[in-house]
Amino acid sequence: QKEVEQDPGPLSVPEGAIVSLNCTYSNSAFQYFMWYRQYSRKGPELLMYTYSSGNKEDGRFTAQVDKSSKYISLFIRDSQPSDSATYLCATLSNDYKLSFGAGTTVTVRA
Amino acid sequence: GAVVSQHPSWVICKSGTSVKIECRSLDFQATTMFWYRQFPKQSLMLMATSNEGSKATYEQGVEKDKFLINHASLTLSTLTVTSAHPEDSSFYICSAQNRDRGPGELFFGEGSRLTVL
């Protein structure tokens, strides 16, 4: 079983829609949960991370973690064509190793 | 902000040759750097953890004699793919941990695309 499961999509939405991305993880010991954005042929860029359960908001982005169900979510409000990218969820172990999901490819149509 | 630089960004080589990829943290000291490999349309897979001044720790299934990692200073780690073969063609990405920041902030390089003919 993979440590982090993520539906690879692809996901296509019209401009202005809400993008909803989800992951599940298996190891209940994980405390840090990350979301990265990766453009084609580029390294991942950290969008935001959360510690333990709860919500975190940064501009149009909201990350949620539900540790009881081992569920991680990212919401993008008022999506823009520039948001088109691959979004990777990840968990961070105590020795700082990242376990990535498969990544979901998102296209925001103008 | 912090920047992690990788060089070269892309390289094409003949089968059997060795290729070295550099990963530099430009404005912070990185006690730990990580090397990942990413195949097309797949996620990043951790290959090894590189600690400054000590031997790298390799993930299961990664050949340490094939993927040589050196972390000689707090700002530089290198990955050498020895005797490269076409199946080694991939996107190699490093990340660096800034020891002055929280554990949730790891910075990635731009990646190095290796094509072995």
Side-chain angles (χ1 to χ4, degrees):
Chain A
Q1 180 188 11
K2 290 184 180 179
E3 288 192 315
V4 182
E5 298 277 359
Q6 182 178 10
D7 185 344
L11 184 63
S12 180
V13 300
E15 184 175 359
I18 295 175
V19 176
S20 176
L21 302 167
N22 306 293
C23 295
T24 58
Y25 64 95
S26 59
N27 190 335
S28 58
F30 289 136
Q31 295 287 349
Y32 285 93
F33 305 93
M34 335 286 286
W35 282 98
Y36 288 87
R37 178 174 59 196
Q38 186 178 26
Y39 293 110
S40 181
R41 301 188 180 190
K42 296 289 186 181
E45 169 195 12
L46 178 66
L47 279 176
M48 55 198 307
Y49 70 94
T50 55
Y51 175 74
S52 194
S53 282
N55 295 356
K56 187 173 184 179
E57 189 172 319
D58 184 3
R60 296 184 294 112
F61 297 87
T62 299
Q64 291 182 350
V65 176
D66 183 345
K67 292 198 74 179
S68 63
S69 59
K70 300 192 184 72
Y71 203 75
I72 314 166
S73 301
L74 178 71
F75 301 96
I76 307 173
R77 293 183 300 279
D78 187 25
S79 58
Q80 306 295 311
S82 58
D83 294 328
S84 298
T86 296
Y87 291 81
L88 299 143
C89 61
T91 57
L92 186 70
S93 68
N94 289 335
D95 52 358
Y96 306 141
K97 293 181 181 180
L98 284 164
S99 295
F100 284 93
T104 301
T105 300
V106 173
T107 301
V108 180
R109 309 185 304 271
Chain B
V3 177
V4 175
S5 172
Q6 273 187 249
H7 178 79
S9 56
W10 60 271
V11 58
I12 301 173
C13 70
K14 292 182 178 180
S15 183
T17 60
S18 294
V19 174
K20 179 185 285 188
I21 301 169
E22 292 185 349
C23 179
R24 293 181 184 273
S25 57
L26 297 185
D27 59 359
F28 66 94
Q29 293 183 324
T31 52
T32 305
M33 289 184 174
F34 301 88
W35 286 95
Y36 294 84
R37 181 167 52 183
Q38 186 177 32
F39 292 106
K41 299 188 184 300
Q42 294 187 27
S43 191
L44 287 77
M45 296 299 296
L46 180 65
M47 298 174 65
T49 304
S50 168
N51 294 299
E52 188 265 337
S54 63
K55 289 185 178 180
T57 304
Y58 291 81
E59 296 300 302
Q60 190 173 10
V62 178
E63 301 173 60
K64 62 180 181 181
D65 294 330
K66 182 168 186 61
F67 299 100
L68 301 179
I69 292 173
N70 182 276
H71 193 161
S73 75
L74 285 171
T75 58
L76 174 64
S77 176
T78 61
L79 168 68
T80 301
V81 183
T82 62
S83 187
H85 291 284
E87 59 265 29
D88 298 323
S89 299
S90 187
F91 193 50
Y92 292 88
I93 308 173
C94 71
S95 70
Q97 177 197 348
N98 184 341
R99 64 181 180 184
D100 294 327
R101 307 289 287 268
E105 296 188 9
L106 303 174
F107 300 99
F108 282 85
E110 288 291 278
S112 300
R113 184 164 300 281
L114 170 64
T115 301
V116 184
L117 302 177

